[in-house]
Amino acid sequence: MDISLHLDDNRHEPLYIQLYQYFREEITTLRIAPATRLPSIRQLSEFLQVSKTTIQMAYDQLLAEGYVESRERSGYYAVKLEDEAFGSIRPNHQKNLAAIDRSMKSHPIDIDFYMSSVDVHHFPFDTWRKYTNMATTFEQKELLAYGDRQGEFELRNSISHYLRQSRGVNCTPDQIVLGSGTQTVLQILCQLIGLDGRRVAIEEPGYRGARQVFQLFGYKLVPISLEEDGISVHELSRSDAKLVYITPSHQYPIGMVMPVQKRLKLLRWAEENQGIIIEDDYDGEFRYRGKPIPSLQGLDTHGLVVYVGTFSKSLMPAIRISYMVLPTHLLTIYQQRFNSFDHTVSRLHQRTLQLFMDNGEWDRHIRRMRTLYHKKHAFLLHTIKTVMGEHVNIMGQDAGLHIVIDVKSTIPADELVEIAARAGVQVYSTSHTWHQLPPKEQILILLGFGGLSMEQIEQGIKQLDEVWRVFYL
């Protein structure tokens, strides 16, 4: 069939809406007769010089509203429309696409800006396999039995050395307890601190995974608002909480880095209130601006900080190895209460990681990934500024594997996320990170970049701009 259509990039409506409107008009006026086969997605994409995703979104909307039908292995066909006795009632796409039928078939996700993805293409598979094989020889047969309840001493020794050198953490191997993920470590920590319904201050917004652990163990959550440099110490002082959970090296999700001055204020608060600070350094290895800032634990001289770290961001999520550095008084409690509990991390994975670290592969891997992520980070910022311009503000761009954009939009963040997903691009709002309701004036979108290529980053940002353009202020 012949198509006489001009898609205008300068029009207010996204391209897929223009295409949808064209076919809707052609079908309702019978210029496209019932049972006529529409061009295939590939053919129309090549003819109009637009992405296949644009064609797919237009066709899916026609399908959802009953203008076409999909025949398996054949394509899309115009249908015979029933007479509309009460006139035509159709959604006004120019005003609000949130009215789109939510039962519409979901699109496959082509580009996923997930915050916790890592670059698997640069993972040293051959090297890791070599050390895995070394850990599973007959000479290592003792690894098939139960191991140290805090985790293998050799690995804890390697971790303590690394933390002293790179993060300024003062610890011995005896202070380190391994766990299968940060939430597992936090569960153990909750039991050490006490299950008496005490109050725990959390960043607002903050990491939902930690919040859920505290709620599971009966802690009373006290959300503390964020300032430009991190959690409000003044508000914390007025909260009556004696325990605070923070992510100072790259606040999750907003992304600011807490300066030394505020870290010292936090330590002063803990000292004056006999409090405990849980410092979650989940992706502290990756910093793109300014000089490295020592950990809170490294600045602590009174045993007030529990340092929590993970290999999920720096190495791979699948390894499920996290750890905490306990101050002496909590370590004593741990050894008393958990002396009959076995560790939760595979000894084989522990041994592989220890060999990986002791042979210098860990340092080489971190250096490579810092360089790679720095390039991706800079490219993402450049692409956003070039494509979206002043329609967004960028936040949390100094460190970590994700940034935040504040979109100047007429609709909420969750609706922007849904529209993006229909275009095959997965992004994330911050709504799940709030304990209370998020402010309506901020429309925040999380964009992780660690697992994406440069081409995917560019394509994804362009696709977001195309489908969000109609909603920009």
Side-chain angles (χ1 to χ4, degrees):
M1 62 177 294
D2 294 329
I3 297 292
S4 178
L5 168 66
H6 171 65
L7 297 178
D8 188 354
D9 287 325
N10 296 320
R11 280 180 56 181
H12 193 53
E13 301 91 349
L15 297 181
Y16 79 95
I17 294 180
Q18 297 179 40
L19 185 59
Y20 152 80
Q21 291 172 335
Y22 167 80
F23 278 116
R24 185 188 68 186
E25 183 68 19
E26 295 294 292
I27 293 171
T28 56
T29 59
L30 299 181
R31 287 194 289 269
I32 295 179
T36 300
R37 183 177 182 273
L38 272 60
S40 72
I41 292 174
R42 180 183 60 80
Q43 291 172 334
L44 196 53
S45 172
E46 293 176 353
F47 179 74
L48 296 175
Q49 292 297 295
V50 298
S51 70
K52 294 179 182 178
T53 300
T54 297
I55 311 299
Q56 181 72 66
M57 292 177 66
Y59 278 7
D60 279 348
Q61 185 57 34
L62 292 167
L63 181 66
E65 295 184 9
Y67 293 107
V68 301
E69 64 179 359
S70 176
R71 301 180 186 176
E72 189 173 0
R73 300 180 182 276
S74 182
Y76 294 90
Y77 291 79
V79 302
K80 185 179 185 304
L81 301 179
E82 301 294 332
D83 293 335
E84 299 182 50
F86 298 100
S88 177
I89 304 175
R90 300 187 181 98
N92 187 338
H93 296 275
Q94 288 76 14
K95 292 184 179 179
N96 193 345
L97 281 181
I100 290 177
D101 183 1
R102 293 180 184 272
S103 65
M104 188 172 79
K105 181 181 178 181
S106 62
H107 294 271
I109 298 300
D110 299 317
I111 299 172
D112 190 348
F113 285 92
Y114 185 48
M115 294 75 66
S116 297
S117 292
V118 298
D119 191 313
V120 297
H121 299 289
H122 289 81
F123 182 78
F125 284 99
D126 292 340
T127 303
W128 186 262
R129 187 182 302 111
K130 179 180 73 172
Y131 292 122
T132 299
N133 292 337
M134 291 175 62
T136 52
T137 61
F138 181 77
E139 289 74 16
Q140 301 290 329
K141 58 184 179 297
E142 74 277 0
L143 294 177
L144 303 182
Y146 295 101
D148 192 300
R149 290 183 172 88
Q150 288 185 218
E152 297 301 296
F153 178 84
E154 292 82 0
L155 176 57
R156 289 188 281 123
N157 185 59
S158 301
I159 292 174
S160 66
H161 177 74
Y162 166 71
L163 292 178
R164 285 194 301 271
Q165 295 294 320
S166 68
R167 307 299 301 135
V169 173
N170 295 315
C171 68
T172 66
D174 291 335
Q175 291 177 262
I176 296 177
V177 176
L178 302 183
S180 57
T182 297
Q183 287 181 300
T184 298
V185 167
L186 291 178
Q187 290 177 42
I188 297 172
L189 186 56
C190 283
Q191 296 175 75
L192 292 180
I193 294 173
L195 304 179
D196 50 5
R198 67 183 61 203
R199 299 160 69 88
V200 56
I202 56 173
E203 298 165 316
E204 179 73 321
Y207 175 42
R208 180 175 62 173
R211 187 170 72 232
Q212 290 174 328
V213 170
F214 293 128
Q215 289 176 315
L216 176 67
F217 285 93
Y219 281 69
K220 296 177 181 177
L221 302 182
V222 183
I224 306 295
S225 61
L226 297 175
E227 299 172 335
E228 289 186 2
D229 57 356
I231 194 170
S232 170
V233 179
H234 176 69
E235 193 174 323
L236 174 63
S237 300
R238 299 168 54 192
S239 69
D240 292 330
K242 304 297 183 186
L243 174 67
V244 60
Y245 169 86
I246 57 171
T247 52
S249 294
H250 186 229
Q251 198 280 332
Y252 187 87
I254 304 302
M256 70 275 290
V257 177
M258 184 180 291
V260 171
Q261 292 82 358
K262 173 152 283 190
R263 297 181 187 224
L264 294 175
K265 288 182 180 179
L266 263 176
L267 289 170
R268 196 174 307 121
W269 164 84
E271 184 178 354
E272 293 173 353
N273 293 273
Q274 296 181 322
I276 296 175
I277 300 170
I278 303 174
E279 177 185 12
D280 188 345
D281 198 16
Y282 67 99
D283 63 358
E285 286 86 1
F286 307 113
R287 181 172 173 82
Y288 311 117
R289 297 183 182 181
K291 296 180 179 180
I293 300 176
S295 65
L296 268 161
Q297 197 273 359
L299 299 171
D300 175 25
T301 58
H302 295 86
L304 306 172
V305 178
V306 177
Y307 181 91
V308 176
T310 181
F311 288 94
S312 293
K313 297 289 195 302
S314 53
L315 190 61
M316 55 177 167
I319 196 173
R320 307 311 301 144
I321 296 182
S322 296
Y323 53 88
M324 59 181 171
V325 177
L326 294 176
T328 305
H329 66 283
L330 288 178
L331 178 62
T332 300
I333 298 174
Y334 175 86
Q335 292 171 341
Q336 292 172 348
R337 294 183 182 177
F338 286 82
N339 60 357
S340 61
F341 285 71
D342 290 309
H343 60 78
T344 59
V345 183
S346 162
R347 291 189 74 190
L348 299 178
H349 284 165
Q350 290 184 62
R351 177 62 171 165
T352 302
L353 179 56
Q354 177 239 316
L355 291 170
F356 190 79
M357 297 182 76
D358 289 353
N359 285 279
E361 297 296 340
W362 167 252
D363 289 336
R364 283 188 281 273
H365 175 70
I366 286 296
R367 285 196 298 269
R368 286 194 300 267
M369 300 315 292
R370 279 180 181 145
T371 300
L372 177 64
Y373 289 145
H374 195 177
K375 291 179 179 178
K376 290 186 179 186
H377 176 266
F379 184 75
L380 173 62
L381 297 184
H382 172 76
T383 305
I384 291 174
K385 293 173 183 177
T386 301
V387 175
M388 296 181 167
E390 296 182 356
H391 297 298
V392 303
N393 292 322
I394 303 175
M395 308 165 64
Q397 55 186 296
D398 291 342
L401 297 183
H402 79 267
I403 65 167
V404 180
I405 55 174
D406 185 0
V407 186
K408 301 174 184 177
S409 166
T410 59
I411 63 174
D414 288 336
E415 292 188 34
L416 290 178
V417 170
E418 182 179 344
I419 292 167
R422 294 179 188 277
V425 181
Q426 185 68 67
V427 295
Y428 302 84
S429 81
T430 63
S431 59
H432 68 283
T433 67
W434 292 81
H435 180 60
Q436 300 170 330
L437 292 177
K440 294 182 179 180
E441 63 271 14
Q442 284 189 316
I443 301 172
L444 304 181
I445 299 294
L446 292 164
L447 297 176
F449 57 88
L452 298 177
S453 66
M454 302 288 196
E455 293 77 13
Q456 289 174 316
I457 290 173
E458 182 176 29
Q459 180 184 345
I461 295 302
K462 288 182 176 179
Q463 192 67 42
L464 289 176
D465 182 66
E466 180 179 328
V467 298
W468 286 352
R469 191 181 306 160
V470 67
F471 302 109
Y472 289 154
L473 290 174

